[in-house]
Amino acid sequence: MSHRKRRLVILGVAASDSHAVANHLIAHALRGLGFEVENLGTCTPVEEFAQACEQHPDAEAVIIGSLNGHVHEDLRDLPAARAAGRITCPVIVGGNLSVGSKKDPRDLERLQALGVDRILQDPAQLLPALDELRASRTADRQRLLVAS
């Protein structure tokens, strides 16, 4: 009998953000789709995401929500965590990603420069993004096997 391992994601809300409702709704929806969710909750610093990645090396993504608009400052330690190999899976960020009503396209570029792989504008984009990232990583692994 084959036991297929459940897909695992690490979920949390950025360090300065205490908005919990969307976090719980996303965790519930992902679990309903068969995912295992390591939910770190609100006010999660990059260090806690890194520790969770070290405890769960098979995680396929870190998903970080932010509603207060301070995600750029909250993720200032992400480049160091990625460079040190502490967060090796893709990082997905979504929510309200800047303060104020005027949105600057450079805000998205700044997040990518910090090491964010996907930036979502709508929670409905999460499952397609996870599937796309998984397919991409599988294809990369297969290319490495063929090349070796």
Side-chain angles (χ1 to χ4, degrees), residues 55-108:
Q55 292 171 0
H56 302 283
D58 55 339
E60 66 179 74
V62 169
I63 305 165
I64 303 172
S66 177
L67 291 176
N68 69 4
H70 296 285
V71 71
H72 296 92
E73 179 64 22
D74 290 339
L75 296 183
R76 69 185 174 279
D77 297 332
L78 182 58
R82 299 218 46 165
R86 298 188 68 213
I87 298 177
T88 58
C89 62
V91 175
I92 299 172
V93 171
N96 178 33
L97 305 178
S98 62
V99 178
S101 59
K102 286 194 173 195
K103 303 302 176 192
D104 186 340
R106 291 176 294 189
D107 289 336
L108 302 181

Side-chain angles (χ1 to χ4, degrees), residues 18 28 35 37-38 40 47 49 56 58 61 67 74 76 79 82 86 88 92 97-98 100 126 129-131 134 143-144:
S18 61
H28 179 73
F35 282 83
V37 179
E38 178 68 25
L40 304 178
E47 175 61 24
F49 285 111
H56 302 283
D58 55 339
L67 291 176
D74 290 339
R76 69 185 174 279
R82 299 218 46 165
R86 298 188 68 213
T88 58
I92 299 172
L97 305 178
S98 62
L126 183 55
L130 288 168
D131 288 343
R134 183 179 195 204
R143 279 192 289 276
L144 286 174

Side-chain angles (χ1 to χ4, degrees), residues 5-11 31 36-40 48-62 85-90 137 141:
K5 193 170 184 182
R6 292 174 69 180
R7 296 171 69 182
L8 170 68
V9 295
I10 297 167
L11 174 67
R31 287 183 181 118
E36 181 179 341
V37 179
E38 178 68 25
N39 190 354
L40 304 178
E48 287 183 32
F49 285 111
Q51 289 172 0
C53 285
E54 291 170 343
Q55 292 171 0
H56 302 283
D58 55 339
E60 66 179 74
V62 169
R86 298 188 68 213
I87 298 177
T88 58
C89 62
R137 290 181 87 188
R141 281 190 212 114

Side-chain angles (χ1 to χ4, degrees), residues 134-148:
R134 183 179 195 204
S136 175
R137 290 181 87 188
T138 300
D140 288 346
R141 281 190 212 114
Q142 288 174 345
R143 279 192 289 276
L144 286 174
L145 287 174
V146 169
S148 59

Side-chain angles (χ1 to χ4, degrees), residues 14-26:
S16 69
D17 201 323
S18 61
H19 290 90
V21 174
N23 171 269
H24 288 293
L25 291 172
I26 290 168

